Amino acid sequence: METHVNGFRYDTHLHTSEGSACGRSTGAEMARAYAEAGYTGIIVTDHFFYGNTAVDRSLPWSQWVELYCLGFEHAKAEGDRLGLQVFFGWESNYQATEFLVYGLDKQWLLAHPEIKDATIPEQLVLAHEGGGMISHAHPYRQAPYIKEIRLFPEYVDAVEGVNATHTSDTSAQKHPEYNEQALAYAKQYNLPLTAGSDQHSATMVWGGMVFPRKLKDIDDFIRAVKNREATELLDGSKQENTGI
């Protein structure tokens, strides 16, 4: 049985070069980096249709989805070879406000082209109907592409309280106050937390969540988040390999 000294470490927010225009490493390269770093699993969350996607938006929906999912599929194939769990999600962008969507898969996307144009309330309804969950990604991040901070506590299931790019020593843009504000926001509305690295390359940022048990699948991840099972939210300050 696989065990880890400090629990089972999962990164819930990362990008690949196949799915995200800003990604600098392939899905397979990302999977190898996380396996070597001692993670139990990762969730690939490439930028979705109106975000910084790497896939041509003029393509027919089915072709767009097939190409968009390649980063995850390449990571999954390499993860299966190495013993790393690889789950699927995406990072949606609605007028520069971003959300992490978990629990839906490629077949669901192919059957629901309306998701690309869904408003924030509509995204929540569609995700819930499919058994998914939405976490507000880095809600207080300030960047040129983010024109204003917009909060939607009534339309999300969780908040990304810790985004390691805001705190990790390996990040060029440290803003720990963004995480402090996100954590306070989640507490104010009693929303569960997620945490991820927002990693765009195989250079480790060391973010994610630690659970006391190995997760079965993405649905189990959703249950664990909603039940607040995480024992630690990783902000990039711990860089040791936890695998034994």
Side-chain angles (χ1 to χ4, degrees):
M1 178 179 176
E2 181 182 6
T3 59
H4 285 244
V5 173
N6 298 316
F8 297 85
R9 182 159 46 174
Y10 291 82
D11 194 349
T12 72
H13 183 175
L14 60 97
H15 302 271
T16 74
S17 58
E18 292 98 332
S20 299
C22 45
R24 298 188 296 278
S25 299
T26 66
E29 290 169 338
M30 297 293 275
R32 286 195 292 272
Y34 279 95
E36 291 171 3
Y39 278 73
T40 303
I42 59 175
I43 307 177
V44 176
T45 55
D46 277 316
H47 290 293
F48 200 57
F49 194 85
Y50 289 114
N52 198 19
T53 180
V55 186
D56 185 353
R57 295 185 188 91
S58 69
L59 292 171
W61 177 247
S62 61
Q63 189 175 353
W64 187 89
V65 170
E66 292 288 347
L67 293 174
Y68 171 75
C69 291
L70 285 178
F72 159 73
E73 290 172 350
H74 294 160
K76 178 73 163 59
E78 187 69 358
D80 287 349
R81 187 180 72 83
L82 298 171
L84 177 80
Q85 292 179 299
V86 180
F87 305 145
F88 178 72
W90 67 81
E91 185 172 18
S92 71
N93 184 309
Y94 187 82
Q95 299 176 355
T97 302
E98 293 176 304
F99 303 92
L100 297 161
V101 183
Y102 303 108
L104 309 175
D105 59 15
K106 182 168 77 172
Q107 293 308 312
W108 188 94
L109 285 175
L110 289 169
H112 292 83
E114 69 272 21
I115 190 64
K116 72 180 178 68
D117 293 309
T119 64
I120 291 164
E122 290 168 346
Q123 285 187 54
L124 179 72
V125 170
L126 286 166
H128 283 177
E129 288 177 348
M133 180 185 79
I134 294 177
S135 179
H136 192 154
H138 42 69
Y140 287 91
R141 175 178 290 173
Q142 298 180 40
Y145 74 95
I146 300 175
K147 304 305 180 184
E148 60 179 334
I149 301 299
R150 301 187 304 157
L151 304 177
F152 300 88
E154 69 273 35
Y155 294 127
V156 298
D157 301 294
V159 172
E160 186 181 56
V162 176
N163 182 298
T165 60
H166 298 157
T167 46
S168 173
D169 288 336
T170 64
S171 173
Q173 298 180 339
K174 290 183 66 175
H175 288 280
E177 69 274 15
Y178 297 167
N179 287 345
E180 293 166 5
Q181 291 170 310
L183 289 167
Y185 167 50
K187 184 177 181 180
Q188 178 183 354
Y189 289 95
N190 194 31
L191 288 165
L193 294 166
T194 65
S197 73
D198 206 354
Q199 197 161 298
H200 285 66
S201 78
T203 301
M204 296 303 298
V205 178
W206 304 100
M209 305 176 72
V210 178
F211 294 98
R213 60 185 180 84
K214 187 173 181 178
L215 303 177
K216 297 176 182 177
D217 51 28
I218 191 67
D219 295 326
D220 197 23
F221 165 73
I222 291 172
R223 285 191 293 271
V225 169
K226 290 184 175 181
N227 291 336
R228 305 173 194 240
E229 293 183 30
T231 58
E232 190 173 0
L233 305 179
L234 302 173
D235 63 2
S237 62
K238 295 185 177 181
Q239 301 183 13
E240 75 277 9
N241 185 314
T242 62
I244 59 173

